[in-house]
Amino acid sequence: MTSILLRSTLLLLACSSVSASPTGASACPGGEAAVGGTHLTAADLKTGTLEESPQGLKVQLNGADLVPGIPGIFFGGEEATISLTGTADFKGFLLRLDGAVFDAADVTYGFDPSEEDEIQQAAVCTGGAEGWTHTNNSPKSTVSVSITLGAARSDLRLDVTVVISNSAGVSEYYYTGYDLSAPARADWEGDGDLLAAGDPNATAPAAPTDSEPGNGTTAAPDSSSTTAPDSSSTTAPDASAASILTTGWVTTFIGGLFAMVM
């Protein structure tokens, strides 16, 4: 009986350990928070998006804040850094990168030497997804991973789950999904529309004005500035005045002849 109780106790402890996942994420779902077990059944549950967290959690791409619904841009074939930070500590996390026809083998990555004890590759992320997770549940306020895609990619998804606590009947975790795109640098620099739509921190080039040379436009004459001849300002000969003048001359001539006859 003692042996059975001991084995049952060890099994219970093992299940609790898996649910708490103190040494890394135990699942890697896409489009949702990577938590389960007591996280979902706790009497006191606190959750929401990273942006709603009281810990001031945020994710940055190359130092720029990622915003849900606005694609974060980095370049295919070039190194980019994804960082998770908070104004207060967190314990566990999962950064999951996925995309249509995404081959995780095309992704190379590395960690900051000062953070190597806090972050590791998430072995549970398979089937075309790549992930990075915690190595321990000690408090931490920042972690980062540097990644390089072997080629340009679009329609990438970054799912981020952060665990604050999961003990004593209290579960607190936050999740947000972000859109990413990794165009070729040459395509990016040659497309102003892509620049404006893709990067929340980028400013689209200002449209050239008519006075700028080389813009391929010619300013049309402004009809409002060209004054047409004003017909009202040109005085045509007055026919009535000429008629009066002619009539007066004839009258004077006849009057003179009449006087001579008289």
Side-chain angles (χ1 to χ4, degrees):
M1 179 64 72
T2 302
S3 177
I4 294 175
L5 289 175
L6 179 59
R7 284 197 297 271
S8 298
T9 301
L10 290 175
L11 180 60
L12 178 61
L13 290 174
C15 291
S16 298
S17 176
V18 170
S19 297
S21 304
T23 58
S26 58
C28 187
E32 61 181 303
V35 297
T38 55
H39 271 296
L40 305 178
T41 60
D44 186 0
L45 175 61
K46 301 176 183 178
T47 188
T49 66
L50 269 65
E51 290 73 19
E52 296 170 337
S53 68
Q55 292 79 16
L57 299 171
K58 64 181 179 180
V59 181
Q60 295 184 318
L61 176 63
N62 290 334
D65 292 355
L66 289 178
V67 179
I70 300 178
I73 302 298
F74 64 107
F75 298 117
E78 299 184 20
E79 186 178 84
T81 300
I82 299 173
S83 302
L84 168 64
T85 63
T87 55
D89 291 338
F90 52 91
K91 292 184 177 181
F93 64 91
L94 175 66
L95 306 172
R96 180 186 187 274
L97 184 64
D98 196 0
V101 197
F102 182 73
D103 187 354
D106 289 340
V107 184
T108 56
Y109 64 89
F111 309 128
D112 188 300
S114 64
E115 299 173 1
E116 288 182 343
D117 293 338
E118 304 289 347
I119 186 171
Q120 62 182 331
Q121 183 182 21
V124 293
C125 293
T126 59
E130 184 66 272
W132 302 274
T133 187
H134 54 284
T135 62
N136 59 72
N137 59 359
S138 62
K140 54 189 71 69
S141 61
T142 181
V143 290
S144 61
V145 57
S146 296
I147 65 170
T148 304
L149 298 187
R153 292 302 306 264
S154 60
D155 300 327
L156 296 170
R157 182 73 172 181
L158 178 66
D159 293 308
V160 182
T161 303
V162 180
V163 172
I164 306 302
S165 64
N166 183 31
S167 61
V170 177
S171 171
E172 184 176 5
Y173 66 91
Y174 300 94
Y175 161 82
T176 298
Y178 302 96
D179 297 318
L180 301 180
S181 184
R185 180 178 285 275
D187 294 339
W188 168 269
E189 293 177 341
D191 192 337
D193 291 336
L194 178 63
L195 177 65
D199 188 351
N201 299 298
T203 302
T209 63
D210 291 339
S211 61
E212 293 180 1
N215 63 358
T217 61
T218 302
D222 186 354
S223 59
S224 62
S225 62
T226 303
T227 304
D230 186 356
S231 59
S232 63
S233 63
T234 302
T235 304
D238 191 344
S240 60
S243 176
I244 293 172
L245 179 60
T246 301
T247 302
W249 178 83
V250 171
T251 302
T252 303
F253 178 75
I254 294 174
L257 291 176
F258 184 78
M260 291 176 63
V261 173
M262 293 295 293

